[in-house]
Amino acid sequence: MSKPMDAIMAQCKRRGFIYQASEIYGGINGFWDYGPLGAQLKKNLRDAWWQDMILRPCWGKPGPNGQPVRCVPVETRIIQHPKAWEASGHVGGFNDPMVDCKETKGRYRYDHVMVYVPAEGDPGDKPVFAYVGDQPSEARQHKKAAKTFGALASVALSSLPRPWQRVIAPDAEKPGSLTEPRQFNLMFKTYLGATAGADDVAYLRPETAQGVFIQFKNVVDTTRVRMPFGIGNTGTSFRNEVTPRNFTFRSREFDQAELEFFCHPDDSVAWYRFWRDFRMDWWKSLGLAGDNLLLREHDQDELSHYSQGTSDVEYRFPFTAPGFGELEGIAHRGNFDLTQHQQASGTKLEYFDPDRGERLPGGGRRGERYLPHCIEPAAGLDRGVLALLCEAYTRDDARPSPELMKLHPRLAPIKASVFPLVNKDGMREVAEQLHGELMAKYWRLGAIEFDEKQTIGKRYARMDEAGCPYCFTIDGQTIADQTVTVRDRDTGHQERIAVAGVVAYLGDKLDV
Ligand code: ATP
Protein backbone atom coordinates (compact mmCIF):
# COMPACT_ATOMS: atom_id res chain seq x y z
CA MET A 1 0.00 0.00 0.00
CA SER A 2 1.34 3.42 -0.80
CA LYS A 3 2.13 5.85 1.97
CA PRO A 4 -0.25 8.76 2.66
CA MET A 5 1.14 11.84 0.96
CA ASP A 6 -0.73 14.26 3.19
CA ALA A 7 0.83 12.67 6.30
CA ILE A 8 4.30 12.97 4.72
CA MET A 9 3.71 16.62 3.85
CA ALA A 10 2.41 17.36 7.35
CA GLN A 11 5.44 15.67 8.87
CA CYS A 12 7.77 17.64 6.57
CA LYS A 13 6.20 20.87 7.72
CA ARG A 14 5.95 19.96 11.40
CA ARG A 15 9.57 18.92 11.71
CA GLY A 16 11.02 21.62 9.48
CA PHE A 17 11.98 19.69 6.38
CA ILE A 18 9.94 21.59 3.78
CA TYR A 19 7.81 24.74 4.01
CA GLN A 20 5.63 26.41 1.46
CA ALA A 21 7.48 29.41 0.00
CA SER A 22 5.96 32.75 1.09
CA GLU A 23 3.57 30.87 3.32
CA ILE A 24 2.70 33.94 5.42
CA TYR A 25 1.51 35.60 2.20
CA GLY A 26 -0.62 32.66 1.26
CA GLY A 27 2.11 30.75 -0.60
CA ILE A 28 3.21 30.92 -4.22
CA ASN A 29 2.37 28.12 -6.58
CA GLY A 30 5.30 25.93 -7.58
CA PHE A 31 7.83 27.19 -5.02
CA TRP A 32 9.00 25.48 -1.84
CA ASP A 33 11.52 26.34 0.85
CA TYR A 34 13.55 24.02 3.03
CA GLY A 35 13.56 24.30 6.80
CA PRO A 36 16.57 23.49 8.98
CA LEU A 37 16.33 19.70 8.61
CA GLY A 38 15.44 19.80 4.91
CA ALA A 39 18.23 22.24 4.07
CA GLN A 40 20.81 19.95 5.67
CA LEU A 41 19.28 16.86 4.07
CA LYS A 42 19.44 18.45 0.64
CA LYS A 43 23.00 19.60 1.23
CA ASN A 44 23.94 16.05 2.22
CA LEU A 45 22.38 14.74 -0.98
CA ARG A 46 24.27 17.28 -3.08
CA ASP A 47 27.50 16.44 -1.22
CA ALA A 48 26.94 12.74 -1.83
CA TRP A 49 26.46 13.46 -5.53
CA TRP A 50 29.60 15.63 -5.61
CA GLN A 51 31.68 13.03 -3.79
CA ASP A 52 30.52 10.09 -5.90
CA MET A 53 30.43 11.88 -9.26
CA ILE A 54 33.29 14.39 -9.08
CA LEU A 55 35.73 13.67 -6.27
CA ARG A 56 35.74 9.88 -6.49
CA PRO A 57 33.54 9.07 -9.45
CA CYS A 58 31.61 5.82 -9.26
CA TRP A 59 33.20 4.91 -5.90
CA GLY A 60 36.51 4.32 -7.65
CA LYS A 61 35.08 1.66 -9.94
CA PRO A 62 36.85 1.59 -13.36
CA GLY A 63 34.92 2.64 -16.46
CA PRO A 64 34.35 0.43 -19.52
CA ASN A 65 37.88 1.36 -20.70
CA GLY A 66 39.33 -0.23 -17.55
CA GLN A 67 40.60 3.16 -16.31
CA PRO A 68 39.45 5.23 -13.33
CA VAL A 69 36.57 7.55 -14.26
CA ARG A 70 37.64 11.20 -14.37
CA CYS A 71 35.34 14.15 -13.73
CA VAL A 72 35.76 17.83 -12.94
CA PRO A 73 33.22 20.39 -11.73
CA VAL A 74 32.16 23.76 -13.08
CA GLU A 75 29.75 26.27 -11.66
CA THR A 76 27.99 28.22 -14.34
CA ARG A 77 25.52 31.09 -14.11
CA ILE A 78 21.77 30.97 -14.24
CA ILE A 79 21.77 33.65 -16.92
CA GLN A 80 23.73 33.04 -20.09
CA HIS A 81 23.76 34.72 -23.49
CA PRO A 82 20.23 34.46 -24.95
CA LYS A 83 21.75 32.96 -28.12
CA ALA A 84 22.86 29.95 -26.07
CA TRP A 85 19.22 29.09 -25.45
CA GLU A 86 18.37 29.46 -29.10
CA ALA A 87 21.21 27.09 -30.00
CA SER A 88 20.21 24.57 -27.35
CA GLY A 89 16.70 24.53 -28.74
CA HIS A 90 15.11 25.92 -25.60
CA VAL A 91 13.88 29.22 -27.02
CA GLY A 92 12.24 27.72 -30.04
CA GLY A 93 11.40 24.28 -28.86
CA PHE A 94 11.39 24.12 -25.08
CA ASN A 95 7.74 23.78 -24.82
CA ASP A 96 5.59 21.10 -23.56
CA PRO A 97 2.47 20.71 -25.67
CA MET A 98 -0.58 20.71 -23.39
CA VAL A 99 -4.12 19.56 -23.83
CA ASP A 100 -7.01 21.26 -22.05
CA CYS A 101 -10.25 19.72 -20.96
CA LYS A 102 -13.19 21.92 -21.93
CA GLU A 103 -15.44 20.27 -19.38
CA THR A 104 -13.30 20.37 -16.21
CA LYS A 105 -10.80 23.09 -17.20
CA GLY A 106 -8.05 20.60 -16.33
CA ARG A 107 -4.77 21.03 -18.21
CA TYR A 108 -2.45 18.11 -18.91
CA ARG A 109 0.89 17.61 -20.51
CA TYR A 110 0.15 15.95 -23.83
CA ASP A 111 2.94 13.40 -23.46
CA HIS A 112 1.65 12.43 -20.01
CA VAL A 113 -1.89 11.52 -21.04
CA MET A 114 -2.54 7.79 -21.41
CA VAL A 115 -5.69 6.01 -22.46
CA TYR A 116 -7.21 2.70 -21.42
CA VAL A 117 -8.35 0.71 -24.45
CA PRO A 118 -9.60 -2.86 -24.73
CA ALA A 119 -6.75 -5.36 -24.77
CA GLU A 120 -8.12 -7.03 -27.89
CA GLY A 121 -7.96 -3.85 -29.98
CA ASP A 122 -10.68 -1.68 -31.48
CA PRO A 123 -13.08 -0.22 -28.88
CA GLY A 124 -15.80 0.13 -31.55
CA ASP A 125 -17.89 3.18 -30.74
CA LYS A 126 -17.39 2.86 -26.99
CA PRO A 127 -15.68 5.71 -25.11
CA VAL A 128 -12.08 5.19 -23.96
CA PHE A 129 -10.75 6.51 -20.68
CA ALA A 130 -7.85 8.92 -20.38
CA TYR A 131 -5.66 9.25 -17.32
CA VAL A 132 -2.41 10.77 -16.16
CA GLY A 133 -0.16 8.41 -14.25
CA ASP A 134 0.41 10.48 -11.13
CA GLN A 135 -3.13 11.71 -10.59
CA PRO A 136 -5.83 10.39 -8.30
CA SER A 137 -8.25 10.04 -11.20
CA GLU A 138 -6.15 7.17 -12.56
CA ALA A 139 -7.74 4.57 -10.26
CA ARG A 140 -11.24 5.88 -11.07
CA GLN A 141 -10.64 5.74 -14.80
CA HIS A 142 -9.15 2.28 -14.46
CA LYS A 143 -12.25 1.04 -12.72
CA LYS A 144 -14.61 2.51 -15.28
CA ALA A 145 -12.54 1.22 -18.17
CA ALA A 146 -12.36 -2.27 -16.66
CA LYS A 147 -16.14 -2.30 -16.34
CA THR A 148 -16.56 -1.30 -19.98
CA PHE A 149 -13.92 -3.51 -21.57
CA GLY A 150 -12.75 -6.23 -19.19
CA ALA A 151 -9.14 -6.80 -20.20
CA LEU A 152 -7.32 -3.49 -20.67
CA ALA A 153 -4.31 -2.10 -22.42
CA SER A 154 -2.74 1.35 -21.94
CA VAL A 155 -1.70 3.43 -24.91
CA ALA A 156 -0.51 7.02 -25.26
CA LEU A 157 -3.19 9.53 -26.20
CA SER A 158 -0.93 10.58 -29.07
CA SER A 159 -1.40 7.18 -30.69
CA LEU A 160 -5.16 7.69 -31.16
CA PRO A 161 -6.64 9.26 -34.28
CA ARG A 162 -7.82 12.86 -33.87
CA PRO A 163 -10.04 14.54 -32.96
CA TRP A 164 -10.46 12.59 -29.78
CA GLN A 165 -14.23 12.33 -29.89
CA ARG A 166 -14.42 9.14 -27.87
CA VAL A 167 -11.88 10.01 -25.20
CA ILE A 168 -13.19 10.74 -21.71
CA ALA A 169 -10.69 13.11 -20.08
CA PRO A 170 -9.28 12.21 -16.62
CA ASP A 171 -11.89 13.99 -14.48
CA ALA A 172 -14.60 14.49 -17.09
CA GLU A 173 -17.97 12.83 -17.47
CA LYS A 174 -18.54 13.25 -21.19
CA PRO A 175 -16.30 12.20 -24.08
CA GLY A 176 -14.71 14.58 -26.56
CA SER A 177 -13.73 17.40 -24.20
CA LEU A 178 -9.98 17.42 -24.90
CA THR A 179 -8.56 20.18 -27.09
CA GLU A 180 -5.75 19.81 -29.59
CA PRO A 181 -2.30 20.06 -27.96
CA ARG A 182 -0.91 23.59 -27.67
CA GLN A 183 2.63 24.80 -27.02
CA PHE A 184 3.70 26.70 -23.90
CA ASN A 185 7.20 27.98 -23.50
CA LEU A 186 8.51 27.04 -20.10
CA MET A 187 11.43 29.45 -19.90
CA PHE A 188 11.30 32.31 -17.41
CA LYS A 189 12.13 35.62 -19.02
CA THR A 190 13.88 38.54 -17.43
CA TYR A 191 15.43 41.81 -18.63
CA LEU A 192 19.05 42.81 -18.26
CA GLY A 193 19.85 46.33 -17.10
CA ALA A 194 17.94 48.87 -15.07
CA THR A 195 16.47 50.63 -18.10
CA ALA A 196 15.97 47.50 -20.11
CA GLY A 197 13.58 47.13 -23.00
CA ALA A 198 12.40 44.33 -25.21
CA ASP A 199 15.87 43.96 -26.76
CA ASP A 200 17.41 43.08 -23.41
CA VAL A 201 15.52 39.87 -22.81
CA ALA A 202 17.42 37.12 -21.05
CA TYR A 203 16.31 33.79 -19.71
CA LEU A 204 16.65 31.95 -16.43
CA ARG A 205 18.21 28.60 -17.27
CA PRO A 206 15.84 25.66 -17.49
CA GLU A 207 18.71 23.20 -16.96
CA THR A 208 22.28 23.29 -15.72
CA ALA A 209 23.60 21.11 -18.56
CA GLN A 210 23.99 23.88 -21.15
CA GLY A 211 26.46 25.74 -18.93
CA VAL A 212 28.78 22.77 -19.35
CA PHE A 213 28.59 22.70 -23.14
CA ILE A 214 29.20 26.44 -23.30
CA GLN A 215 32.35 26.10 -21.16
CA PHE A 216 33.52 22.84 -22.71
CA LYS A 217 36.30 24.51 -24.70
CA ASN A 218 37.60 26.47 -21.72
CA VAL A 219 37.76 23.36 -19.58
CA VAL A 220 39.65 21.47 -22.29
CA ASP A 221 42.03 24.40 -22.92
CA THR A 222 42.78 25.31 -19.31
CA THR A 223 42.91 21.99 -17.49
CA ARG A 224 44.61 18.68 -18.13
CA VAL A 225 41.46 16.67 -18.80
CA ARG A 226 41.74 14.00 -21.45
CA MET A 227 39.01 12.10 -23.20
CA PRO A 228 37.00 10.41 -21.81
CA PHE A 229 36.03 12.73 -18.95
CA GLY A 230 33.02 14.29 -17.31
CA ILE A 231 32.09 17.84 -16.34
CA GLY A 232 29.59 18.20 -13.53
CA ASN A 233 27.40 21.20 -12.78
CA THR A 234 24.89 21.68 -10.00
CA GLY A 235 22.53 24.51 -9.22
CA THR A 236 19.15 26.05 -9.59
CA SER A 237 17.03 25.78 -12.71
CA PHE A 238 13.69 27.35 -13.51
CA ARG A 239 10.77 26.10 -15.53
CA ASN A 240 7.51 27.91 -15.73
CA GLU A 241 5.61 24.66 -15.34
CA VAL A 242 2.00 24.95 -16.43
CA THR A 243 0.73 22.76 -13.65
CA PRO A 244 3.13 22.65 -10.71
CA ARG A 245 1.97 19.88 -8.41
CA ASN A 246 2.70 16.94 -6.19
CA PHE A 247 4.57 18.85 -3.52
CA THR A 248 8.12 19.58 -4.72
CA PHE A 249 7.97 17.01 -7.54
CA ARG A 250 7.04 19.54 -10.18
CA SER A 251 8.26 22.93 -8.99
CA ARG A 252 9.02 26.10 -10.91
CA GLU A 253 12.38 26.55 -9.21
CA PHE A 254 14.47 23.48 -8.42
CA ASP A 255 18.03 22.28 -8.20
CA GLN A 256 19.71 19.89 -10.55
CA ALA A 257 22.92 17.92 -10.44
CA GLU A 258 24.04 17.09 -13.95
CA LEU A 259 27.07 15.42 -15.41
CA GLU A 260 28.05 15.69 -19.05
CA PHE A 261 30.40 12.83 -19.79
CA PHE A 262 32.36 13.25 -23.03
CA CYS A 263 33.88 10.40 -24.96
CA HIS A 264 34.83 9.20 -28.44
CA PRO A 265 31.73 8.32 -30.50
CA ASP A 266 32.86 4.69 -30.78
CA ASP A 267 32.82 4.30 -27.01
CA SER A 268 29.62 6.16 -26.32
CA VAL A 269 27.21 3.25 -26.06
CA ALA A 270 29.46 1.46 -23.57
CA TRP A 271 29.67 4.63 -21.47
CA TYR A 272 25.94 5.17 -21.70
CA ARG A 273 25.34 1.70 -20.27
CA PHE A 274 27.95 2.24 -17.63
CA TRP A 275 26.42 5.51 -16.37
CA ARG A 276 22.89 4.21 -16.55
CA ASP A 277 23.80 1.28 -14.30
CA PHE A 278 25.90 3.32 -11.92
CA ARG A 279 23.19 5.93 -11.44
CA MET A 280 20.70 3.24 -10.54
CA ASP A 281 23.20 1.71 -8.08
CA TRP A 282 23.83 5.14 -6.60
CA TRP A 283 20.20 5.81 -5.75
CA LYS A 284 19.97 2.32 -4.32
CA SER A 285 22.98 2.98 -2.11
CA LEU A 286 21.11 5.93 -0.57
CA GLY A 287 18.21 3.79 0.53
CA LEU A 288 15.84 3.82 -2.46
CA ALA A 289 16.32 0.13 -3.15
CA GLY A 290 13.53 -2.37 -3.61
CA ASP A 291 10.32 -2.36 -5.59
CA ASN A 292 9.95 1.40 -5.41
CA LEU A 293 12.89 2.03 -7.71
CA LEU A 294 12.98 1.21 -11.38
CA LEU A 295 15.29 1.73 -14.33
CA ARG A 296 13.16 2.35 -17.40
CA GLU A 297 14.82 2.19 -20.78
CA HIS A 298 13.00 4.39 -23.30
CA ASP A 299 11.57 2.70 -26.35
CA GLN A 300 13.12 3.48 -29.71
CA ASP A 301 10.19 5.75 -30.66
CA GLU A 302 10.61 7.85 -27.49
CA LEU A 303 14.23 8.75 -28.31
CA SER A 304 15.37 12.06 -29.76
CA HIS A 305 16.78 11.74 -33.25
CA TYR A 306 20.38 12.12 -32.00
CA SER A 307 20.11 9.72 -29.10
CA GLN A 308 21.23 6.11 -29.01
CA GLY A 309 19.59 5.49 -25.68
CA THR A 310 17.84 7.13 -22.74
CA SER A 311 16.81 5.63 -19.44
CA ASP A 312 15.03 7.08 -16.49
CA VAL A 313 15.60 6.15 -12.91
CA GLU A 314 12.05 6.23 -11.63
CA TYR A 315 10.65 6.15 -8.13
CA ARG A 316 7.21 5.04 -7.06
CA PHE A 317 6.10 8.23 -5.28
CA PRO A 318 2.92 7.92 -3.21
CA PHE A 319 1.15 10.20 -5.71
CA THR A 320 2.29 8.20 -8.74
CA ALA A 321 1.68 4.73 -7.23
CA PRO A 322 1.18 2.19 -8.59
CA GLY A 323 3.04 4.05 -11.37
CA PHE A 324 6.44 5.71 -11.18
CA GLY A 325 7.81 9.25 -11.58
CA GLU A 326 11.16 10.32 -13.04
CA LEU A 327 13.96 10.99 -10.60
CA GLU A 328 16.83 11.17 -13.02
CA GLY A 329 17.26 10.86 -16.76
CA ILE A 330 20.37 9.29 -18.29
CA ALA A 331 20.62 10.26 -21.94
CA HIS A 332 22.99 9.49 -24.76
CA ARG A 333 23.01 12.94 -26.39
CA GLY A 334 25.38 12.16 -29.23
CA ASN A 335 27.22 15.33 -30.27
CA PHE A 336 23.99 17.29 -30.63
CA ASP A 337 24.74 20.00 -28.06
CA LEU A 338 28.35 20.68 -29.07
CA THR A 339 27.29 20.77 -32.72
CA GLN A 340 24.57 23.29 -31.97
CA HIS A 341 26.83 25.58 -29.93
CA GLN A 342 29.65 25.27 -32.43
CA GLN A 343 27.35 26.37 -35.22
CA ALA A 344 25.64 29.15 -33.32
CA SER A 345 28.76 30.62 -31.72
CA GLY A 346 31.13 30.10 -34.63
CA THR A 347 33.70 28.68 -32.18
CA LYS A 348 35.25 25.30 -32.97
CA LEU A 349 34.45 22.84 -30.21
CA GLU A 350 36.24 19.82 -31.61
CA TYR A 351 38.63 17.91 -29.44
CA PHE A 352 42.06 16.83 -30.56
CA ASP A 353 42.73 13.39 -29.14
CA PRO A 354 46.46 12.55 -29.17
CA ASP A 355 45.74 8.96 -28.12
CA ARG A 356 43.85 8.08 -31.32
CA GLY A 357 44.45 7.84 -35.01
CA GLU A 358 46.93 5.83 -36.96
CA ARG A 359 50.04 4.45 -35.21
CA LEU A 360 53.23 6.27 -36.14
CA PRO A 361 56.41 4.37 -36.99
CA GLY A 362 58.33 5.87 -34.09
CA GLY A 363 55.59 4.89 -31.60
CA GLY A 364 52.74 7.13 -30.56
CA ARG A 365 49.72 8.06 -32.64
CA ARG A 366 48.84 10.60 -35.24
CA GLY A 367 45.92 11.93 -33.21
CA GLU A 368 42.31 12.43 -34.19
CA ARG A 369 40.07 15.47 -34.20
CA TYR A 370 36.40 14.90 -33.41
CA LEU A 371 33.31 16.26 -31.73
CA PRO A 372 32.89 14.07 -28.67
CA HIS A 373 29.68 12.33 -27.84
CA CYS A 374 28.06 13.04 -24.53
CA ILE A 375 26.31 10.92 -21.93
CA GLU A 376 24.20 12.95 -19.54
CA PRO A 377 23.04 11.68 -16.17
CA ALA A 378 20.69 14.51 -15.09
CA ALA A 379 19.35 14.27 -11.56
CA GLY A 380 16.94 16.51 -9.72
CA LEU A 381 18.02 17.24 -6.16
CA ASP A 382 14.59 18.32 -5.00
CA ARG A 383 12.95 15.26 -6.48
CA GLY A 384 15.73 13.26 -4.88
CA VAL A 385 14.99 14.74 -1.47
CA LEU A 386 11.30 14.11 -1.98
CA ALA A 387 11.87 10.46 -2.92
CA LEU A 388 14.13 10.00 0.09
CA LEU A 389 11.55 11.56 2.41
CA CYS A 390 8.73 9.43 0.99
CA GLU A 391 10.84 6.29 1.29
CA ALA A 392 11.94 7.21 4.81
CA TYR A 393 8.49 8.02 6.15
CA THR A 394 7.33 5.12 8.28
CA ARG A 395 4.46 4.62 10.62
CA ASP A 396 4.91 2.13 13.42
CA ASP A 397 1.85 2.12 15.61
CA ALA A 398 3.61 -0.02 18.20
CA ARG A 399 5.69 3.01 19.15
CA PRO A 400 4.41 5.66 21.57
CA SER A 401 5.09 8.25 18.87
CA PRO A 402 4.41 6.35 15.67
CA GLU A 403 5.95 8.44 12.89
CA LEU A 404 9.61 8.03 12.03
CA MET A 405 11.93 8.91 9.17
CA LYS A 406 14.23 6.07 8.19
CA LEU A 407 16.75 8.25 6.41
CA HIS A 408 20.02 6.67 5.34
CA PRO A 409 22.75 7.58 7.89
CA ARG A 410 24.82 9.18 5.13
CA LEU A 411 22.03 11.64 4.36
CA ALA A 412 20.36 12.08 7.75
CA PRO A 413 20.54 15.76 8.73
CA ILE A 414 21.12 14.81 12.38
CA LYS A 415 23.74 12.09 12.65
CA ALA A 416 23.48 11.34 16.35
CA SER A 417 22.08 12.61 19.58
CA VAL A 418 23.38 12.42 23.12
CA PHE A 419 21.08 12.36 26.14
CA PRO A 420 21.78 12.40 29.86
CA LEU A 421 18.99 10.21 31.28
CA VAL A 422 18.48 12.62 34.18
CA ASN A 423 20.32 15.70 35.21
CA LYS A 424 22.10 14.31 38.28
CA ASP A 425 24.96 12.12 39.48
CA GLY A 426 27.36 13.56 36.94
CA MET A 427 25.40 12.24 33.93
CA ARG A 428 25.16 15.63 32.32
CA GLU A 429 28.93 16.13 32.47
CA VAL A 430 29.65 12.78 30.83
CA ALA A 431 27.02 13.46 28.18
CA GLU A 432 28.47 16.91 27.46
CA GLN A 433 31.92 15.47 27.10
CA LEU A 434 30.73 12.73 24.72
CA HIS A 435 28.76 15.29 22.71
CA GLY A 436 31.91 17.41 22.44
CA GLU A 437 33.95 14.45 21.19
CA LEU A 438 31.35 13.51 18.57
CA MET A 439 31.10 17.13 17.44
CA ALA A 440 34.86 17.44 17.12
CA LYS A 441 34.97 14.40 14.86
CA TYR A 442 31.78 14.55 12.81
CA TRP A 443 30.51 18.16 12.72
CA ARG A 444 31.19 18.39 9.00
CA LEU A 445 28.67 15.66 8.21
CA GLY A 446 25.59 17.02 9.95
CA ALA A 447 24.24 17.93 13.34
CA ILE A 448 25.12 16.13 16.57
CA GLU A 449 22.35 17.00 19.01
CA PHE A 450 22.31 17.26 22.78
CA ASP A 451 18.93 16.97 24.46
CA GLU A 452 18.08 16.88 28.14
CA LYS A 453 14.48 18.10 27.98
CA GLN A 454 11.44 15.93 28.85
CA THR A 455 11.27 12.15 29.24
CA ILE A 456 13.71 9.90 27.45
CA GLY A 457 10.81 8.43 25.42
CA LYS A 458 9.90 11.88 24.09
CA ARG A 459 13.50 12.59 23.23
CA TYR A 460 13.75 9.35 21.25
CA ALA A 461 10.50 10.15 19.47
CA ARG A 462 11.75 13.62 18.50
CA MET A 463 14.88 12.09 17.00
CA ASP A 464 12.90 9.35 15.22
CA GLU A 465 10.78 11.97 13.51
CA ALA A 466 13.83 13.96 12.51
CA GLY A 467 15.45 10.84 11.05
CA CYS A 468 18.39 10.74 13.49
CA PRO A 469 19.78 7.19 13.20
CA TYR A 470 21.58 6.83 16.56
CA CYS A 471 20.93 8.07 20.10
CA PHE A 472 23.42 7.61 22.93
CA THR A 473 22.07 7.76 26.48
CA ILE A 474 24.15 8.27 29.59
CA ASP A 475 22.51 6.73 32.66
CA GLY A 476 23.32 5.57 36.17
CA GLN A 477 25.22 2.56 34.90
CA THR A 478 27.51 4.77 32.80
CA ILE A 479 28.97 6.25 35.93
CA ALA A 480 29.53 2.77 37.35
CA ASP A 481 30.98 0.94 34.33
CA GLN A 482 31.66 3.57 31.59
CA THR A 483 29.13 2.16 29.16
CA VAL A 484 26.27 3.94 27.37
CA THR A 485 23.10 2.79 25.71
CA VAL A 486 22.98 3.15 21.95
CA ARG A 487 19.54 3.00 20.39
CA ASP A 488 18.92 2.18 16.75
CA ARG A 489 16.17 4.32 15.21
CA ASP A 490 14.82 1.73 12.81
CA THR A 491 14.54 -1.23 15.16
CA GLY A 492 14.31 0.60 18.50
CA HIS A 493 16.88 -1.96 19.65
CA GLN A 494 19.21 -0.85 22.45
CA GLU A 495 22.61 -2.17 23.39
CA ARG A 496 25.36 -1.10 25.77
CA ILE A 497 28.74 -0.14 24.45
CA ALA A 498 31.79 1.45 26.11
CA VAL A 499 31.74 5.27 26.25
CA ALA A 500 35.28 5.15 24.92
CA GLY A 501 34.06 3.25 21.84
CA VAL A 502 31.23 5.62 20.83
CA VAL A 503 33.24 7.78 18.43
CA ALA A 504 34.50 4.73 16.54
CA TYR A 505 31.05 3.09 16.66
CA LEU A 506 29.42 6.10 15.01
CA GLY A 507 32.24 6.43 12.48
CA ASP A 508 31.69 2.85 11.49
CA LYS A 509 27.94 3.36 11.10
CA LEU A 510 28.41 6.55 9.10
CA ASP A 511 31.03 4.79 7.00
CA VAL A 512 33.66 7.52 7.48
P1 ATP B 1 9.50 15.69 -16.43
O1 ATP B 1 9.21 14.76 -17.60
O2 ATP B 1 9.08 15.15 -15.11
O3 ATP B 1 9.06 17.10 -16.67
P2 ATP B 1 12.03 16.09 -17.62
O4 ATP B 1 12.24 14.82 -18.39
O5 ATP B 1 11.59 17.32 -18.32
O6 ATP B 1 11.09 15.79 -16.36
P3 ATP B 1 14.83 16.62 -17.38
O7 ATP B 1 14.82 17.74 -18.33
O8 ATP B 1 15.40 15.31 -17.81
O9 ATP B 1 13.36 16.40 -16.80
O10 ATP B 1 15.54 17.11 -16.05
C1 ATP B 1 16.36 16.29 -15.25
C2 ATP B 1 15.82 16.17 -13.85
O11 ATP B 1 15.49 17.43 -13.30
C3 ATP B 1 14.52 15.36 -13.74
O12 ATP B 1 14.78 13.98 -13.72
C4 ATP B 1 13.98 15.85 -12.43
O13 ATP B 1 14.57 15.15 -11.33
C5 ATP B 1 14.42 17.29 -12.38
N1 ATP B 1 13.29 18.16 -12.75
C6 ATP B 1 12.87 18.48 -13.99
N2 ATP B 1 11.81 19.30 -13.95
C7 ATP B 1 11.54 19.50 -12.63
C8 ATP B 1 10.56 20.25 -11.92
N3 ATP B 1 9.65 20.99 -12.56
N4 ATP B 1 10.57 20.23 -10.57
C9 ATP B 1 11.50 19.49 -9.90
N5 ATP B 1 12.45 18.77 -10.52
C10 ATP B 1 12.48 18.76 -11.86
Side-chain angles (χ1 to χ4, degrees), residues 344-360:
S345 67
T347 306
K348 278 248 168 290
L349 298 178
E350 285 175 335
Y351 174 83
F352 178 75
D353 193 335
D355 301 327
R356 292 203 174 243
E358 179 194 328
R359 277 186 199 285
L360 298 173

Side-chain angles (χ1 to χ4, degrees), residues 390-463:
C390 291
E391 183 75 17
Y393 177 86
T394 308
R395 206 183 154 88
D396 177 357
D397 286 311
R399 297 190 186 204
S401 179
E403 285 175 312
L404 63 149
M405 284 291 191
K406 292 186 174 176
L407 288 168
H408 191 285
R410 186 175 182 199
L411 300 174
I414 303 174
K415 300 299 184 200
S417 195
V418 180
F419 308 146
L421 182 64
V422 284
N423 192 0
K424 60 176 192 191
D425 303 333
M427 290 181 210
R428 186 170 209 281
E429 289 70 17
V430 179
E432 273 178 347
Q433 171 154 0
L434 180 61
H435 179 250
E437 285 169 20
L438 292 175
M439 280 290 281
K441 187 88 179 158
Y442 302 121
W443 65 272
R444 288 179 185 82
L445 305 177
I448 309 286
E449 298 269 290
F450 182 91
D451 193 357
E452 54 183 343
K453 300 267 156 58
Q454 298 181 302
T455 65
I456 194 77
K458 287 211 169 107
R459 284 181 258 171
Y460 283 144
R462 266 203 293 276
M463 284 301 116

Side-chain angles (χ1 to χ4, degrees), residues 109 239 241 249-251 254 256 326-328 380 383:
R109 235 169 80 175
R239 295 184 191 179
E241 298 280 1
F249 181 84
R250 192 166 298 289
S251 306
F254 54 95
Q256 292 182 304
E326 177 182 329
L327 192 57
E328 166 159 353
R383 274 195 200 170

Side-chain angles (χ1 to χ4, degrees), residues 83-89 210 212-218 220-221 227 262 334-352 369-373:
K83 282 196 180 140
W85 302 114
E86 285 166 25
S88 68
Q210 295 303 323
V212 171
F213 298 120
I214 297 168
Q215 291 298 357
F216 172 76
K217 183 172 160 45
N218 271 336
V220 169
D221 290 351
M227 217 52 72
F262 299 97
N335 59 14
F336 175 77
D337 305 272
L338 290 180
T339 306
Q340 292 295 106
H341 288 298
Q342 177 166 275
Q343 256 168 24
S345 67
T347 306
K348 278 248 168 290
L349 298 178
E350 285 175 335
Y351 174 83
F352 178 75
R369 200 171 287 283
Y370 57 89
L371 261 188
H373 276 199

Side-chain angles (χ1 to χ4, degrees), residues 375-388:
I375 312 303
E376 176 189 85
L381 292 175
D382 301 85
R383 274 195 200 170
V385 166
L386 182 59
L388 292 163

Side-chain angles (χ1 to χ4, degrees), residues 114-119 127-133 135-155 168-172 320-323:
M114 302 291 292
V115 181
Y116 288 118
V117 294
V128 294
F129 295 84
Y131 69 97
V132 173
Q135 290 202 342
S137 55
E138 184 184 355
R140 252 189 339 264
Q141 294 292 77
H142 187 271
K143 216 159 134 191
K144 287 186 194 166
K147 231 189 222 167
T148 317
F149 303 126
L152 294 180
S154 270
V155 297
I168 302 191
D171 286 299
T320 59

Side-chain angles (χ1 to χ4, degrees), residues 99 108-118 123 128-133 152-164 167-168 170 178 181 296 299 301-302:
V99 291
Y108 312 96
R109 235 169 80 175
Y110 179 38
D111 63 334
H112 284 179
V113 185
M114 302 291 292
V115 181
Y116 288 118
V117 294
V128 294
F129 295 84
Y131 69 97
V132 173
L152 294 180
S154 270
V155 297
L157 178 67
S158 56
S159 67
L160 297 188
R162 295 198 213 152
W164 300 304
V167 174
I168 302 191
L178 287 178
R296 188 178 72 83
D299 294 334
D301 59 357
E302 281 180 272

